[in-house]
Amino acid sequence: MNASLSGSHESAALCYDSLNNSCPRTVYPLTLRFSFYFLFTSIFILTISGNLLVIFVILLSQNPLSAATNHLILSLSVAGVVIGGFVMPHSMVRSIETCWYFGQIFCEFHTTIDVVLCNTTVWHLTFISVDRYLAIFHPLQYRNLMTNITAATMISSSWGLALVFGFAIVISNPQVKIRDDFYKSCVGGCFSLHAREIGVEYSIIFYFIPVCIIITVYSRIFFVAQRHAKVIHSYNKGPTLSAQLTAKDLKATKTLAIVVGTFLFCWTPFFMCNIIDPLIGHLIPTLLYECLMWVAYLNAMFNPLIYVFFYSWFRKTAKILLSKLFMQI
């Protein structure tokens, strides 16, 4: 995405003054640019540090979640670290300077990685919903069903499907759909999926279909889990092992459902624009896409905060790790 395509330039400028075929650039006031640099830098620092904390907590602690759930959350946090460390910094420059200064080849690579990380997040959350389904509906067979091999298969499938689709976009070289043909060839632009024909198909197949699966699974989990909890409570006056296991799994499911809900809140507006924009002749301002894209990026920062607020074992382990770290410093 290139905000210079929004059509509302505050002052006439070019991305490359020495090139006649340079893309136009929107020059924002210096104070506003510094404010945005500070804001976006804070976002990706918090994203990296928060997801690294999740990784270390899971690796070094004995938490009550199953090994399969731990592995899926761990892999999801790795994607969050890459988003914060690789995708966000270059997107920050593009958003604020309204130009792409890193070359066309790196533009394609950056866009591909961006797509891969978004897609792998969707698949991770899909498999997490399957994991929670098995934990609630088949508690006795759960450990036999969700082995380390099963978790590894889920994780490799999440990354594999995302990588295949992401690099297929670059290989297929989809047509750019924008209002002015000049922007297809000017230097300093980097167009994301919303400007390409494949954006609609991508949104439906690789976002909304998995999301429908996730919503369906969690809806069924909550209805049935609450009914099971009432039955167990009525037949067991004391806190039996069965009741404790059900309560633990239900609490973990609720927390992970909040992770899914946050993802939907952050990413759905962007993908809705992906579908609507081609239908109205690509009239949605690119600046709006830029804002929605950063709302979507915030999802990678929110996930660690959810674990902090809803998992007491996570807070305790994080405090121990951070105290040891600061004592060494």
Side-chain angles (χ1 to χ4, degrees):
M1 291 172 289
N2 192 338
S4 61
L5 306 186
S6 62
S8 58
H9 306 293
E10 296 190 6
S11 60
L14 298 175
C15 294
Y16 296 93
D17 294 331
S18 59
L19 298 178
N20 294 329
N21 62 338
S22 172
C23 292
R25 175 191 175 198
T26 300
V27 181
Y28 296 115
L30 188 61
T31 303
L32 184 62
R33 289 163 63 194
F34 275 127
S35 299
F36 278 123
Y37 271 119
F38 177 78
L39 173 63
F40 292 155
T41 301
S42 300
I43 289 173
F44 68 71
I45 288 176
L46 288 173
T47 300
I48 296 171
S49 57
N51 282 281
L52 283 176
L53 180 62
V54 172
I55 292 172
F56 284 119
V57 166
I58 291 178
L59 289 176
L60 301 178
S61 68
Q62 296 292 329
N63 62 70
L65 295 180
S66 70
T69 308
N70 287 339
H71 294 155
L72 286 166
I73 294 176
L74 184 67
S75 183
L76 183 63
S77 298
V78 171
V81 171
V82 180
I83 290 174
F86 178 80
V87 176
M88 285 186 183
H90 301 93
S91 296
M92 174 184 67
V93 176
R94 179 179 59 191
S95 298
I96 299 174
E97 301 299 335
T98 69
C99 290
W100 182 261
Y101 292 117
F102 308 105
Q104 187 59 33
I105 295 177
F106 191 75
C107 166
E108 297 288 349
F109 182 72
H110 181 271
T111 301
T112 302
I113 298 301
D114 196 352
V115 172
V116 167
L117 293 172
C118 169
N119 196 221
T120 195
T121 300
V122 176
W123 288 114
H124 273 84
L125 294 176
T126 303
F127 285 122
I128 286 175
S129 68
V130 173
D131 169 77
R132 292 295 87 203
Y133 180 90
L134 295 175
I136 295 296
F137 285 86
H138 305 283
L140 299 179
Q141 296 84 15
Y142 175 74
R143 292 192 179 277
N144 293 328
L145 293 173
M146 290 301 299
T147 62
N148 289 334
I149 296 177
T150 305
T153 302
M154 288 180 171
I155 293 171
S156 59
S157 298
S158 299
W159 286 100
L161 290 170
L163 286 168
V164 168
F165 184 77
F167 284 99
I169 293 174
V170 176
I171 295 174
S172 62
N173 191 25
Q175 183 181 359
V176 174
K177 291 286 187 180
I178 50 181
R179 282 169 287 171
D180 193 333
D181 287 338
F182 170 73
Y183 290 111
K184 294 182 182 181
S185 58
C186 67
V187 180
C190 182
F191 308 105
S192 193
L193 274 185
H194 77 271
R196 306 179 181 199
E197 282 186 345
I198 202 169
V200 177
E201 291 82 356
Y202 168 76
S203 300
I204 295 174
I205 297 174
F206 289 90
Y207 182 76
F208 285 104
I209 291 179
V211 161
C212 288
I213 296 173
I214 293 171
I215 293 175
T216 301
V217 170
Y218 272 104
S219 298
R220 180 165 167 74
I221 285 174
F222 280 121
F223 284 121
V224 177
Q226 289 178 353
R227 186 169 69 242
H228 284 182
K230 291 179 181 178
V231 171
I232 291 174
H233 181 72
S234 63
Y235 279 94
N236 297 279
K237 297 181 179 180
T240 63
L241 178 61
S242 178
Q244 291 175 356
L245 290 174
T246 301
K248 183 191 73 173
D249 286 330
L250 185 58
K251 183 177 180 181
T253 301
K254 288 181 178 180
T255 302
L256 294 172
I258 294 173
V259 174
V260 173
T262 304
F263 176 85
L264 297 178
F265 173 81
C266 292
W267 278 101
T268 300
F270 174 77
F271 280 101
M272 288 299 298
C273 282
N274 260 347
I275 292 179
I276 296 172
D277 197 29
L279 301 178
I280 62 175
H282 296 275
L283 296 177
I284 295 179
T286 309
L287 185 59
L288 176 59
Y289 268 108
E290 206 68 52
C291 295
L292 293 179
M293 191 72 248
W294 276 98
V295 172
Y297 286 156
L298 287 175
N299 175 246
M301 183 185 73
F302 287 150
N303 284 345
L305 297 178
I306 294 173
Y307 302 136
V308 169
F309 284 112
F310 290 93
Y311 282 143
S312 58
W313 62 264
F314 185 92
R315 291 194 299 271
K316 292 177 182 177
T317 308
K319 287 180 181 179
I320 294 173
L321 290 175
L322 292 175
S323 62
K324 289 182 178 179
L325 177 62
F326 285 114
M327 287 178 62
Q328 291 179 356
I329 295 176

